[in-house]
Amino acid sequence: YITHERASTLATMGQLDQAEKELTRATTASRKAGNLYGEGGAQGVGIRIEMLRGNHQLAAERSRESLEHARRHNLERLICLRQIDLAKALSELGRFDDAHRSLDEALAIALLKQDHPAQFFAYHARWRARNAEGDFQRARLELGAAEYTMRYVDEDCPEALEIRDAVVAARSAS
């Protein structure tokens, strides 16, 4: 777990090559320990690295692979998070209908399981997708939901910072 968190931190700092090296160690350790959830978490960091590199097609492929891993091992939270990852990649590829279907599934799981952080990440991704496709009315609704659920996540995560900035901008504009 520590190595995949280190990889995630390096990715956030923009040190993607270092993050990838650390991620390799994390994946190896998780597999060696038989930690299926840890392996799935490491896969999520790998997906994020590809998104940061702009490799959206590869990120979508890796999201599908990780989603299959999560489904095969009945890791419901990871199913939800990988659906969100897949939707982000699909949205970047302009495949908004597919992205919305993926996000609907993720949000349904998050709501059913009362997983508030996952709800936030789903609403954040829905807000970004709606903005990207130009549906600004729905984007405002998703922004409100993301703002409400933001209280359940680390305040310094990139998604929370983005939502906070968007809320400030929206309030300044009105």
Side-chain angles (χ1 to χ4, degrees):
Y1 175 79
I2 292 170
T3 51
H4 105 249
E5 283 298 319
R6 187 177 303 134
S8 180
T9 300
L10 289 166
T12 298
M13 294 169 43
Q15 299 176 18
L16 302 182
D17 291 337
Q18 284 299 106
E20 197 164 51
K21 289 176 186 173
E22 196 65 32
L23 184 59
T24 300
R25 286 191 281 278
T27 302
T28 300
S30 291
R31 286 181 181 158
K32 188 174 182 180
N35 182 350
L36 299 171
Y37 191 88
E39 182 178 348
Q43 291 168 346
V45 176
I47 293 162
R48 191 158 68 86
I49 290 170
E50 294 307 328
M51 289 292 289
L52 289 169
R53 285 186 170 143
N55 297 332
H56 303 120
Q57 186 61 45
L58 182 56
E61 291 168 16
R62 290 196 176 165
S63 295
R64 286 186 188 97
E65 291 167 5
S66 188
L67 185 56
E68 182 54 38
H69 166 84
R71 285 183 173 144
R72 186 172 46 251
H73 300 291
N74 199 31
L75 303 170
E76 288 182 336
R77 183 155 205 269
L78 286 182
I79 292 169
C80 178
L81 296 176
R82 293 304 80 87
Q83 286 288 149
I84 294 168
D85 288 338
L86 177 59
K88 288 178 182 180
L90 292 170
S91 182
E92 290 294 332
L93 294 167
R95 295 178 50 198
F96 298 112
D97 289 341
D98 293 333
H100 293 309
R101 277 191 289 278
S102 188
L103 287 168
D104 288 348
E105 185 175 334
L107 188 56
I109 294 168
L111 290 168
L112 181 67
K113 297 296 178 184
Q114 297 182 353
D115 185 337
H116 300 295
Q119 289 173 32
F120 167 75
F121 291 114
Y123 285 126
H124 169 267
R126 288 165 65 108
W127 167 73
R128 289 203 65 184
R130 293 294 183 192
N131 268 327
E133 71 180 324
D135 188 346
F136 302 117
Q137 283 187 317
R138 286 185 181 171
R140 267 187 246 115
L141 294 172
E142 302 298 354
L143 179 61
E147 179 187 19
Y148 177 78
T149 56
M150 186 171 58
R151 70 185 80 195
Y152 300 108
V153 299
D154 178 3
E155 291 182 17
D156 291 332
C157 74
E159 295 87 351
L161 294 173
E162 185 176 22
I163 291 297
R164 190 175 299 115
D165 289 345
V167 168
V168 168
R171 289 187 179 141
S172 296
S174 54

